[in-house]
Amino acid sequence: MTCLRGMVAGLVLMASPAVAADYEIRLAHSLSTTEPAHQAALFYAEHVAERSGGQIEITVFPGEQLGSGKDVNQMIRQGANVMNITDAGYLADFVPDVGVLHGPYLVDSPEEYNKILTSDWHKQIDQQLRDQGLRVVSWNGLFGGRHMIADKPIRTPEDMAGMTVRVPPNSLWLATFEAIGARPTTVQWSEVYNALSQNVVASAEAPLGSLYGSKLYEVKKTLSLTRHFTSFLNFVGSETYLSSLPQDLQDILMEEGYLAGEYMTKLTQEREAQYLDDFRKAGVEVVEDVDIEAFRAKTESVYTSFPDWTPGLKEQIDAIISQ
């Protein structure tokens, strides 16, 4: 009889459904699963679930499974229970001044960037995004310096004259590569491998992890370390949806967002040297003697190209960094 009771109890446990989370959030991004950003997303989901006692379940959808970055941001703004890993270039569609954070050669290190994130200027930007329906739960994740992969070395702006460059569909990238003298062409990241292999574009730019994770070394064999942007990624959710959650859960999402950003920064910094070794092992020429100052001078005009930006915005940011 005891054995039978044990069997019945076991069958009941097996048949019982798992307890569903009170709140379910889909976290989207456009990147591969090998990249620090994806690992940070998994870190975030795990730690939010643990700290919330299972009340919040976050499921990560890599590789544009939920649509393009622009489409997901619109879903978020409309109040969906969705988050996106995006950047300041895309957020500038809603608050123009935030675009300066993704400007060419703006910062040289995470420490300089963190000065901006702790400034009164940034507090105002954060509130303006909330007013537009977007809550950034993580500002501080280092995506890395962005570099060029092509068929030839790129050491000066003149090496890019007339070159077709794949860029994301936002105005800051377009303005930056037009200032350099290239021909920027918008292609979704999920399509960049085919665009390069079919010579729709001659080159692409991204952090090392994205260039390697997407296997672009299979179609282009020269990597030039231009570092034209130092990119940071943002985890963004819906202000409408998140504000509907209990305050303690909102606090968990925000606090763990900051920690996920720190984790991404740590992974990115640790892996950069390894990525360069991996490129070399794949037969890629790595060009390090790039004239950074020539590129910096060439792209300075970008900061005066956006009439919607507050006048003197770049000077304001420079003053914050120099403090």
Side-chain angles (χ1 to χ4, degrees):
M1 180 66 71
T2 302
C3 182
L4 179 60
R5 286 174 181 165
M7 292 175 61
V8 171
L11 289 171
V12 170
L13 286 172
M14 291 173 61
S16 299
V19 177
D22 296 328
Y23 305 97
E24 298 181 356
I25 299 173
R26 295 169 291 165
L27 173 54
H29 66 76
S30 63
L31 307 170
S32 73
T33 56
T34 65
E35 297 184 50
H38 180 72
Q39 301 305 314
L42 297 179
F43 174 97
Y44 184 60
E46 177 183 352
H47 285 253
V48 166
E50 181 180 337
R51 280 195 59 194
S52 69
Q55 292 182 77
I56 302 176
E57 179 182 345
I58 297 175
T59 305
V60 181
F61 292 85
E64 294 188 338
Q65 292 181 36
L66 298 188
S68 71
K70 279 182 173 286
D71 289 343
V72 176
N73 285 346
Q74 288 295 343
M75 292 166 59
I76 289 169
R77 196 182 187 199
Q78 292 165 10
N81 57 330
V82 175
M83 286 184 173
N84 192 24
I85 300 181
T86 187
D87 61 46
Y90 286 99
L91 296 179
D93 290 344
F94 309 100
V95 176
D97 276 3
V98 76
V100 73
L101 295 179
H102 222 323
Y105 300 102
L106 182 72
V107 298
D108 293 321
S109 68
E111 290 73 23
E112 288 186 350
Y113 193 73
N114 285 335
K115 287 185 178 182
I116 302 172
L117 297 186
T118 56
S119 68
D120 290 338
W121 174 85
H122 184 263
K123 291 177 184 177
Q124 296 173 1
I125 289 293
D126 188 72
Q127 185 57 55
Q128 290 172 26
L129 284 166
R130 288 194 180 201
D131 293 343
Q132 289 294 318
L134 301 167
R135 187 187 299 190
V136 181
V137 303
S138 180
W139 282 97
N140 59 323
L142 176 65
F143 194 25
R146 300 181 77 99
H147 308 289
M148 301 298 306
I149 194 163
D151 284 326
K152 69 173 189 176
I154 297 170
R155 294 184 171 90
T156 69
E158 288 71 29
D159 293 328
M160 292 183 65
M163 178 183 287
T164 53
V165 181
R166 176 272 166 189
V167 297
N170 71 61
S171 56
L172 185 61
W173 265 275
L174 292 166
T176 296
F177 284 95
E178 286 170 355
I180 291 171
R183 293 170 51 207
T185 302
T186 58
V187 177
Q188 292 301 136
W189 185 250
S190 58
E191 300 170 4
V192 68
Y193 185 100
N194 288 335
L196 287 170
S197 62
Q198 296 169 11
N199 291 316
V200 174
V201 293
S203 59
E205 61 80 48
L208 296 176
S210 295
L211 295 173
Y212 190 83
S214 296
K215 300 183 178 181
L216 302 189
Y217 55 83
E218 294 180 349
V219 290
K220 299 296 176 184
K221 291 297 186 180
T222 306
L223 173 67
S224 300
L225 304 184
T226 54
R227 196 175 50 78
H228 44 275
F229 302 123
T230 298
S231 293
F232 293 80
L233 294 182
N234 313 121
F235 289 25
V236 181
S238 165
E239 175 64 22
T240 300
Y241 176 74
L242 294 181
S243 63
S244 72
L245 272 57
Q247 186 61 52
D248 63 325
L249 298 184
Q250 293 184 50
D251 292 343
I252 289 171
L253 288 166
M254 297 298 294
E255 291 163 9
E256 291 301 326
Y258 178 81
L259 294 176
E262 286 195 326
Y263 182 66
M264 186 194 305
T265 297
K266 178 175 179 290
L267 288 180
T268 297
Q269 291 175 325
E270 289 175 348
R271 293 184 184 181
E272 287 207 336
Q274 183 60 54
Y275 281 131
L276 291 177
D277 287 342
D278 291 340
F279 275 111
R280 291 187 176 103
K281 289 175 183 177
V284 172
E285 176 190 5
V286 178
V287 179
E288 299 188 60
D289 58 334
V290 175
D291 189 345
I292 297 296
E293 291 309 313
F295 278 100
R296 191 190 302 271
K298 197 76 170 176
T299 57
E300 187 65 29
S301 63
V302 170
Y303 291 102
T304 60
S305 300
F306 295 93
D308 292 338
W309 286 9
T310 299
L313 179 59
K314 174 61 160 46
E315 290 74 15
Q316 186 177 359
I317 298 300
D318 286 344
I320 292 170
I321 293 171
S322 65
Q323 291 176 355

